[in-house]
Amino acid sequence: MANDNIILVVIIVFFFCFCQFTTTSFSLAYPLVPAIYTFGDSLVDVGNNNYLLFSLVKANFPHNGIDFPTKKPTGRFCNGKNAVDLLAEKVGLPYSPPYLSTVFKLEQRNKHFMTGVNFASGGSGILNQTNQKNSLSLTKQVNSFIKVHKALNKQLGPSGLNQHISKSLFVIVTGSNDIFSYFGSAELRNKTTPSQYINSMVATFKGQVERLYNLGALRFVIVGIGVIGCTPSQRKSNKAEQCNEEVNSVAIKYNEALTSTLKSLKVEQKELNYSYFDGYSVMQNAIQKPATYGLFEIKAACCGLGKLKADVYCLPVSTVCSNRSSHLFWDASHPTETAHRIFVDYIFGGPLRFTFPLNVKQLIGT
Ligand SMILES: *[C@@H]1O[C@H](CO)[C@@H](O)[C@H](O)[C@H]1NC(C)=O
Ligand SMILES: *[C@@H]1O[C@H](CO)[C@@H](O)[C@H](O)[C@H]1NC(C)=O
Ligand SMILES: *[C@@H]1O[C@H](CO)[C@@H](O)[C@H](O)[C@H]1NC(C)=O
Ligand SMILES: *[C@@H]1O[C@H](CO)[C@@H](O)[C@H](O)[C@H]1NC(C)=O
């Protein structure tokens, strides 16, 4: 009896150590970059909003996380891993924790700061006025990075810090909520034309990239806005379940303005390099030819209730599809892990047509 227990304990300890060993050796032997720092909205939030008492934009309840390694909700607006988790896997880094979680884990702070932190906040946008539901705007997210930068400076010293920051990836995935806010507000549309609005989005975006550049960031991964007029929540308000083409056309114009601004930024700041992912085109291809991407259902959400499962959001009372890997959308407005994986394969190694002027592999020189 006692012997059995000892054997069991030995097996458990061995197994535990083995797991620890393999995970750590994976993340230590193969990071292609020192760290990933992520900024953006719910597409890449890994749980910051869990810590925002007054935020209404949350995903820390079932059925979110149903396919995450822990099978538990984490605050990701997804059935499993999102794009930055998958990017971390590609470069051999651990998943970045939400920045706000590090505030409560002082002993682990420095370790996390070294391999990356995620500042993204669901419901947030580029413009201050977009963050009405207490989400953290892009500007506030960059303000938080300044705190991380100071802590790293203490740890590494100025020249170590410079080396670390210049080689790390700065991922920015945002803008969709600004466009949804624009279409959601008659007042905003009355006083601002789409192109004025897009110009202020792009100018603010550029300003935040410049703040990061001034702190030493040189490698940016920037994701354009997707086909957001075709989310289940946009389609459900159309009788024939068609996409909202007005929303799509503003998304396209924003992406054009953003890419031309990035080009001129590269001219102004020569050492800066970036990888821009044209998520719009890839997503549109997936919608037009789902089978090519291994997808089957590109209109309805997987988790939700009602028309296109978008009348009721993905809540514990909602139903969940069994075939998640064949769905483009997890809930009324967010992609499945499968869709994130399709995007990240392009972001990391994609052809110049979709990922330019460099893909991430080229950006990090591998
Ligand atoms: C946005 O908010 C920040 C504070 O979070 C402030 O510093 C900045 O000036 C604001 N920007 C505009 C355009 O109002
Ligand atoms: C927008 O403008 C129209 C006419 O120009 C006006 O009738 C309407 O009340 C305005 N709406 C808002 C919210 O300002
Ligand atoms: C599951 O997905 C596959 C491939 O995407 C598809 O062929 C199949 O019909 C789907 N099954 C169900 C029950 O939706
Ligand atoms: C980044 O930009 C600099 C300056 O233009 C260039 O010398 C360098 O080769 C670029 N890096 C990559 C990976 O292209």
Side-chain angles (χ1 to χ4, degrees):
M1 191 62 193
N3 259 354
D4 284 357
N5 281 344
I6 288 169
I7 290 168
L8 191 65
V9 166
V10 168
I11 290 171
I12 290 170
V13 166
F14 175 77
F15 186 69
F16 182 72
C17 293
F18 182 72
C19 284
Q20 290 286 90
F21 178 73
T22 50
T23 43
T24 39
S25 68
F26 175 70
S27 57
L28 288 177
Y30 191 65
L32 300 175
V33 293
I36 299 179
Y37 300 99
T38 302
F39 305 82
D41 57 24
S42 55
L43 292 170
V44 287
D45 187 348
V46 291
N48 278 306
N49 281 18
N50 301 351
Y51 297 88
L52 299 177
L53 205 53
F54 299 107
S55 170
L56 300 173
V57 188
K58 288 199 160 95
N60 54 350
F61 45 76
H63 306 280
N64 293 297
I66 190 172
D67 299 315
F68 198 71
T70 58
K71 311 277 178 224
K72 293 210 173 87
T74 57
R76 287 167 176 80
F77 297 76
C78 193
N79 59 310
K81 301 167 195 164
N82 70 25
V84 273
D85 298 318
L86 297 166
L87 186 63
E89 285 180 0
K90 294 253 188 214
V91 299
L93 282 171
Y95 304 148
S96 300
Y99 170 70
L100 293 179
S101 76
T102 66
V103 175
F104 301 100
K105 288 186 202 144
L106 289 176
E107 70 292 353
Q108 287 173 39
R109 257 183 102 121
N110 289 350
K111 192 185 99 202
H112 288 319
F113 286 0
M114 285 294 291
T115 54
V117 201
N118 185 318
F119 303 91
S121 168
S124 75
I126 299 168
L127 301 172
N128 287 351
Q129 71 208 37
T130 299
N131 309 282
Q132 282 158 357
K133 297 183 186 104
N134 282 298
S135 306
L136 304 169
S137 66
L138 184 61
T139 308
K140 282 192 184 158
Q141 294 178 29
V142 175
N143 294 349
S144 297
F145 176 73
I146 292 174
K147 293 183 189 154
V148 170
H149 188 265
K150 282 189 181 137
L152 285 169
N153 191 26
K154 271 196 198 140
Q155 254 189 96
L156 298 170
S159 78
L161 175 70
N162 202 43
Q163 178 82 352
H164 176 87
I165 297 292
S166 67
K167 294 211 173 322
S168 294
L169 295 181
F170 287 76
V171 179
I172 313 179
V173 183
T174 186
S176 309
N177 289 323
D178 298 280
I179 293 178
F180 288 134
S181 296
Y182 183 74
F183 282 98
S185 162
E187 197 194 333
L188 209 50
R189 268 179 297 152
N190 266 8
K191 62 177 194 213
T192 324
T193 66
S195 60
Q196 286 170 333
Y197 192 76
I198 287 168
N199 287 346
S200 67
M201 281 173 71
V202 172
T204 309
F205 189 101
K206 184 179 186 223
Q208 298 311 312
V209 170
E210 283 169 338
R211 287 176 79 202
L212 293 169
Y213 170 81
N214 288 334
L215 294 165
L218 292 179
R219 292 171 165 181
F220 291 87
V221 179
I222 290 163
V223 176
I225 296 182
V227 192
I228 57 173
C230 296
T231 57
S233 67
Q234 293 289 312
R235 280 188 194 264
K236 78 154 186 165
S237 31
N238 180 290
K239 259 193 206 132
E241 301 179 350
Q242 297 295 306
C243 300
N244 184 333
E245 295 304 346
E246 216 187 342
V247 169
N248 282 343
S249 79
V250 172
I252 291 173
K253 289 201 186 92
Y254 166 81
N255 287 338
E256 284 168 0
L258 178 63
T259 48
S260 84
T261 296
L262 291 173
K263 263 188 210 148
S264 49
L265 188 62
K266 169 73 185 161
V267 173
E268 290 159 29
Q269 315 292 2
K270 293 204 172 38
E271 326 87 293
L272 179 154
N273 289 304
Y274 68 90
S275 175
Y276 172 83
F277 173 54
D278 177 9
Y280 192 99
S281 296
V282 170
M283 196 171 158
Q284 195 170 43
N285 289 349
I287 290 169
Q288 284 164 355
K289 291 182 186 161
T292 319
Y293 295 82
L295 297 171
F296 182 73
E297 178 58 70
I298 50 91
K299 284 188 179 176
C302 168
C303 179
L305 287 173
K307 189 176 178 187
L308 295 175
K309 287 196 165 194
D311 286 333
V312 173
Y313 215 70
C314 181
L315 295 171
V317 297
S318 304
T319 59
V320 184
C321 66
S322 58
N323 204 354
R324 293 182 281 283
S325 62
S326 67
H327 280 63
L328 177 58
F329 291 103
W330 162 239
D331 63 18
S333 44
H334 302 101
T336 53
E337 174 181 317
T338 299
H340 278 288
R341 196 178 288 280
I342 293 168
F343 300 147
V344 168
D345 284 344
Y346 280 99
I347 292 171
F348 192 69
L352 192 62
R353 190 152 57 101
F354 298 123
T355 314
F356 47 86
L358 305 163
N359 61 34
V360 170
K361 259 169 95 174
Q362 295 163 333
L363 181 71
I364 64 187
T366 58

